[in-house]
Amino acid sequence: MHLSRFPRLHFAHLPTPLEPMERLSELLGGPRLWIKRDDCTGLAGGGNKTRKLEFLMAAAVADKADTIITQGATQSNHARQTAAIAAKLGMHCHILLEDRTGSADVEYNYNGNVLLDQLYDAPLKKYPAGTDMNAAMDELAAALKSAGRKPYIIPGGGSNPIGALGYVNAALELLYQSNAMGLQVDHVVHATGSAGTQAGLVAGLAGANSGIAVLGVGVRVAQEIQENNVFKLARATADYLGLAEVVKREQVVADCGYVGKGYGIPAESTIEAIELLARTEGILLDPVYSGKGMAGLIGMIRQGHFKASENIVFVHTGGAQALFGYRDAFDFPAYQ
Ligand SMILES: *Cc1c(COP(=O)(O)O)cnc(C)c1O
């Protein structure tokens, strides 16, 4: 596996730190918890989409694109990071937002990531939940082409084999870091949505024959659908790397018991996890992804899923910028 064979732009702040979470480990009574700070990738406040965009934007540049089209939910972190790198590269960026929650809250619709999308001067357009977003992007691309532009479509979450290379790279980075520290990693845990992060990690860690198990915590759909999405993309990513067959179905595991009422709606356990990480480690999680991912990790620890001696790495995929769109989800008292 040699990632330098693939076109890539270098703008992420890498390697991201791998740090112990001592107070949280102690509070939960083991295992040994570590955090891989992919919320600190540098671009637009950071997050997991930046790693994917290093490969995706290189493909767009190779294609001589002058305009990026992408899509996501209203508080999409992917949209924010894409708008930022498009601005830096002097490209236009059109963002199609699917209104998956139907929230009428002004903070949700205009603060957080949406405020930042607008700061990056990306035109936004809202679509009702359930819209065929890929068809909507194709339609916009056709209109822009007839207006003389050269659009490049990045799928939701940047999740295709090109984008997933960003997380193959993260897998190799984690192996290098843990080798250098003499740290034996047993499990990697993170929030999984559009599947590119988990697919890249699984392809990279399996391709390197690392023996490290990856556990996704779902934020949207049921387990079987999520695992199938991840497996399909992990296979396609491995194929793209010339490692066909390296990914086995049983290496793809997602726990979708922490979704709550649905995508973008924090559950009680999500809020508990966000508050706990803030108060024990000073770390900011988000209400859509990393808060649910951490709720999953905490839940599994409480159920005795891990041995006390094991080392667990939580990949912090970012998203804290969305907190400002979710003030309503927290029940803080008024002050005088
Ligand atoms: C997109 C996102 C995820 C999920 O990553 P996928 O590659 O879409 O599965 C997790 N956390 C945050 C903060 C995200 O923005």
Side-chain angles (χ1 to χ4, degrees), residues 39-50:
D39 58 321
C40 301
T41 50
L43 185 71
N48 63 340
K49 304 314 181 300
T50 297

Side-chain angles (χ1 to χ4, degrees), residues 29-172:
R32 297 196 199 113
L33 301 175
W34 300 78
I35 188 161
K36 176 83 172 135
R37 298 295 303 271
D38 276 16
D39 58 321
C40 301
T41 50
L43 185 71
N48 63 340
K49 304 314 181 300
T50 297
R51 288 187 187 270
K52 302 179 185 183
L53 286 164
E54 287 198 326
F55 291 91
L56 290 162
M57 292 304 280
V61 168
D63 214 34
K64 302 202 166 29
D66 58 15
T67 305
I68 301 295
I69 301 172
T70 198
Q71 62 99 1
T74 307
Q75 282 294 335
S76 167
N77 302 298
H78 164 68
R80 161 181 43 93
Q81 290 162 80
T82 305
I85 193 57
K88 184 170 166 61
L89 296 174
M91 294 181 182
H92 300 274
C93 179
H94 288 259
I95 296 173
L96 284 57
L97 294 177
E98 183 186 357
D99 181 18
R100 290 193 208 155
T101 66
S103 167
D105 182 8
V106 176
E107 302 285 340
Y108 179 79
N109 284 288
Y110 287 96
N111 206 338
N113 282 304
V114 179
L115 173 69
L116 301 182
D117 295 341
Q118 294 188 311
L119 191 58
Y120 289 125
D121 202 24
L124 304 175
K125 193 166 170 12
K126 185 167 166 172
Y127 294 79
T131 301
D132 181 342
M133 297 302 283
N134 290 328
M137 289 198 292
D138 287 342
E139 207 173 294
L140 176 59
L144 287 170
K145 263 186 213 157
S146 42
R149 299 262 283 276
K150 187 89 176 57
Y152 183 89
I153 295 177
I154 294 182
S159 284
N160 61 18
I162 299 174
L165 291 181
Y167 270 85
V168 173
N169 186 47
L172 300 178

Side-chain angles (χ1 to χ4, degrees), residues 38-39 46-49 52 75-81 113 156-159 164 167 190-200 217 219 226 230 233 263 285-286 288-291 315-322:
D38 276 16
D39 58 321
N48 63 340
K49 304 314 181 300
K52 302 179 185 183
Q75 282 294 335
S76 167
N77 302 298
H78 164 68
R80 161 181 43 93
Q81 290 162 80
N113 282 304
S159 284
Y167 270 85
H190 68 93
T192 177
S194 67
T197 300
Q198 189 170 3
V217 181
V219 300
Q226 186 66 25
V230 173
L233 185 53
Y263 176 87
L285 300 176
D286 82 274
V288 182
Y289 294 98
S290 55
V315 180
H316 188 339
T317 44
Q321 292 71 19

